[in-house]
Amino acid sequence: MTIRWGILGTGGIARTFTEDLLLLGHEVAAVGSRAAETAEGFAGRYDIARAYGSYAELAADDKVDVVYVATTHNVHHSAARTCLEAGRGVLVEKPFTTSAADAAELVSLARERNLFAMEAMWTRFNPLIARVRELVGDGAIGEVKAVYADFSENFPFDASHRLYAPELAGGALLDLGVYPVSFAWMLLGAPATVQAVTTPAPTGVDANTGILFGYESGAVALLHCGFLAKTPQSATITGTAGWIEVAGPFWHPNAMTLHRDGAEPETFTVEVSGHGYTYQAEEVARCLDAGLTESPTMPLDESVAIIRALDTITTRLSQE
């Protein structure tokens, strides 16, 4: 099945994803931007047949099967809704939306229209992360008791930058923290308790946040995200019979090591295809070809639950 993609947005992430689509041989049929000139420039760069000066025009293109929503966070919900209402499936860049209510609305709309929808959590589809899930599921390290994951960069403060702008849904939690949260969720599921502390930026968005998830099993997840300093960005899963170290950046890894009690460490590596977005694109194509409206690897209900947990964290932080 040939998947005909539409690209909504023309920023850096849109360019990166488009390059990986072209690497796979997928058809990039159309692009939409808020300005016709911008869309036309993007289309010229990647030899895309149709360029639109509005998101609604792209969504109305019936020669597009699925739209990749690559806007700033604050526009994910409205842009994806426009596409779904026009009958287009969507792959929405993470975070799926900026609130659980908006996420639930999109999921309801997609299911009502019987359309494909997925959060573009590309980490889930990396071959090494798939191997991590297999090893944990097979009991290679026993019962998981702790997950540690960290994603922090040194982004100097700039009040005009989207990362620090409240009106653009800035902050470390939505931009970076969604990765360690989703990673822990993938392995341990929904936490029973959620705690967090943060250092706010001058604009009020979170700039350095620590998160602690607690589980009925007695397991914990210690997670960190921030803009104040670059960190190793690694992840560790500890079990009763060993542990797995995912080399940084854990959200886009090419190496991991399995440590099992009484055995020599085993290191797994992979040569990542393209920029690393090819795997999630292949999953979208697989799902559409099979007639699936969501991916079992990144279920819609899980995306909603993760955003609900982020809502809980931001609400608590705002009250402190």
Side-chain angles (χ1 to χ4, degrees):
M1 179 179 181
T2 300
I3 304 303
R4 300 171 301 181
W5 288 88
I7 306 297
L8 193 154
T10 55
I13 192 69
R15 293 192 296 271
T16 299
F17 187 67
T18 297
E19 288 165 7
D20 272 9
L21 289 177
L22 295 175
L23 181 66
L24 289 171
H26 288 200
E27 180 182 350
V28 183
V31 58
S33 179
R34 290 173 294 182
E37 296 81 6
T38 306
E40 290 163 3
F42 191 96
R45 178 173 182 172
Y46 295 109
D47 196 23
I48 299 170
R50 298 182 297 284
Y52 299 106
S54 74
Y55 300 154
E57 288 178 282
L58 172 65
D61 188 335
D62 61 7
K63 293 183 175 62
V64 167
D65 299 308
V66 61
V67 174
Y68 173 59
V69 177
T71 63
T72 52
H73 303 157
N74 59 308
V75 185
H76 286 181
H77 170 255
S78 61
R81 178 169 182 159
T82 296
C83 293
L84 291 169
E85 288 177 338
R88 306 295 149 245
V90 291
L91 173 66
V92 185
E93 190 48 58
K94 59 81 201 164
F96 194 53
T97 61
T98 59
S99 75
D102 283 351
E105 183 185 45
L106 287 185
V107 169
S108 178
L109 180 58
R111 288 172 174 167
E112 176 187 308
R113 303 291 178 92
N114 197 36
L115 293 168
F116 179 83
M118 188 179 91
E119 180 180 18
M121 180 50 69
W122 62 315
T123 301
R124 292 281 181 107
F125 305 98
N126 180 285
L128 284 181
I129 298 301
R131 184 64 175 142
V132 167
R133 288 197 304 272
E134 290 174 2
L135 289 168
V136 171
D138 291 343
I141 59 171
E143 185 179 356
V144 175
K145 290 301 179 184
V147 173
Y148 311 87
D150 160 72
F151 190 176
S152 180
E153 291 279 3
N154 186 358
F155 292 127
F157 178 71
D158 177 355
S160 66
H161 195 282
R162 69 167 186 86
L163 292 176
Y164 286 103
E167 67 275 14
L168 298 180
L173 190 62
L174 285 176
D175 203 76
L176 307 182
V178 66
Y179 284 103
V181 168
S182 185
F183 185 81
W185 214 286
M186 175 186 74
L187 297 166
L188 291 169
T193 61
V194 177
Q195 300 176 60
V197 294
T198 195
T199 299
T203 52
V205 302
D206 63 291
N208 196 34
T209 299
I211 304 163
L212 174 62
F213 285 169
Y215 297 85
E216 296 290 352
S217 66
V220 296
L222 285 77
L223 315 171
H224 169 239
C225 61
F227 293 158
L228 304 186
K230 185 174 178 62
T231 53
Q233 301 178 9
S234 59
T236 302
I237 307 108
T238 302
T240 54
W243 70 95
I244 298 170
E245 294 176 300
V246 183
F250 81 89
W251 42 272
H252 179 39
N254 57 24
M256 70 168 191
T257 302
L258 169 65
H259 301 263
R260 289 193 271 201
D261 293 350
E264 289 295 313
E266 299 175 66
T267 297
F268 302 82
T269 61
V270 66
E271 186 173 338
V272 174
S273 172
H275 298 291
Y277 294 89
T278 53
Y279 308 108
Q280 68 176 1
E282 288 176 317
E283 174 68 357
V284 173
R286 185 191 72 81
C287 289
L288 291 176
D289 191 41
L292 300 177
T293 55
E294 63 182 281
S295 166
T297 304
M298 190 66 251
L300 291 172
D301 287 341
E302 191 164 324
S303 290
V304 174
I306 288 170
I307 297 298
R308 185 173 294 114
L310 298 183
D311 279 354
T312 299
I313 293 168
T314 54
T315 298
R316 289 183 180 177
L317 292 177
S318 67
Q319 293 172 346
E320 293 179 355

